[in-house]
Amino acid sequence: MAIDTMEQLRTVYCPPAPRAELKVLDRLDAHCRNFIALSPFYVISSARADGRADASPRGDPPGSLAHVLDDATLLLPDRPGNRQVDTLMNLVERPYVGLLFFVPGLTETLRINGRADIFTDPALLELLAIKGKPPISVLKVAVEEAFLHCAKALIRARLWDPSAQVERSCYPTYGQVLADQIEGADARQIDDGEAKSARTELY
């Protein structure tokens, strides 16, 4: 039987330790800023008006992934991609995000939640340009919660352990997967196109 009330949930899980609640900040302190500066990767989660959720990866060189405007505001670039704009469409309906930042080698992660609005102001775009190429748009996140998440998940996953890496041959290429899923798709053509895009269209 599914758990569908808070009371039922708390019969399974004990209350959190006081420290877990006290660590949640309403701003970006020096440690949050440092973590963001070191990070080359985060996952952004959003939801449609009907509550259906989505999560999407974002990556850039450390220092270019995000721009801390002040202790309550984070700027995130939206670089060229598949143009499905799932996250942005969600934010038009429901302008809130959950962010999970990773730093290679660190087992802690940084979680940030807040309101996100989409901007195309040239001045904001220029702040987040790479190699002279600005992003297509910028998300301005008003930080409501920020906190360091403990290391257990990444330790269990052995995420940064080289011996846990999977051989590339263990899984089909992107093109091979899509060729199996889309009638008439050509795996080699897709893979060649993706390789070219990665060389010439990252920014």
Side-chain angles (χ1 to χ4, degrees):
M1 194 174 201
I3 292 174
D4 58 7
T5 69
M6 297 296 185
E7 291 75 17
Q8 289 174 316
L9 189 61
R10 278 303 173 197
T11 65
V12 178
Y13 291 92
C14 297
R19 181 179 64 192
E21 296 180 345
L22 292 172
K23 73 176 182 179
V24 180
L25 307 176
D26 61 358
R27 67 193 184 285
L28 301 174
D29 71 354
H31 297 295
C32 294
R33 290 170 179 248
N34 188 26
F35 200 102
I36 292 167
L38 293 170
S39 176
F41 179 79
Y42 72 90
V43 176
I44 182 169
S45 62
S46 59
R48 299 185 337 199
D50 63 8
R52 296 190 181 193
D54 178 74
S56 180
R58 297 286 190 270
D60 265 326
S64 298
L65 184 70
H67 179 82
V68 178
L69 195 61
D70 55 49
D71 64 2
T73 313
L74 187 63
L75 301 179
L76 304 171
D78 191 69
R79 310 285 183 196
N82 59 18
R83 298 186 293 277
Q84 286 186 214
V85 295
D86 296 314
T87 299
L88 302 184
M89 288 193 297
N90 288 347
L91 294 180
V92 169
E93 294 187 350
R94 179 179 283 184
Y96 292 91
V97 293
L99 309 172
L100 182 64
F101 286 86
F102 295 78
V103 174
L106 301 187
T107 48
E108 294 80 16
T109 51
L110 179 68
R111 293 171 58 179
I112 296 174
N113 301 315
R115 181 186 172 98
D117 293 293
I118 307 165
F119 289 88
T120 56
D121 299 21
L124 292 180
L125 298 179
E126 191 58 35
L127 274 176
L128 291 155
I130 291 182
K131 299 178 181 178
K133 296 182 179 180
I136 299 170
S137 65
V138 171
L139 295 183
K140 183 184 281 190
V141 180
V143 176
E144 296 178 357
E145 295 180 320
F147 57 97
L148 200 64
H149 193 96
C150 75
K152 291 186 182 73
L154 270 64
I155 291 172
R156 293 185 190 114
R158 298 169 60 207
L159 191 61
W160 311 126
D161 183 349
S163 67
Q165 290 187 355
V166 175
E167 291 291 333
R168 187 62 189 85
S169 60
C170 291
Y171 192 80
T173 67
Y174 182 68
Q176 289 167 341
V177 171
L178 294 195
D180 287 341
Q181 295 173 340
I182 303 171
E183 185 176 353
D186 184 289
R188 177 168 290 184
Q189 186 178 56
I190 293 170
D191 284 333
D192 288 347
E194 288 297 311
K196 180 181 178 182
S197 178
R199 292 193 304 269
T200 63
E201 298 177 10
L202 283 184
Y203 301 103

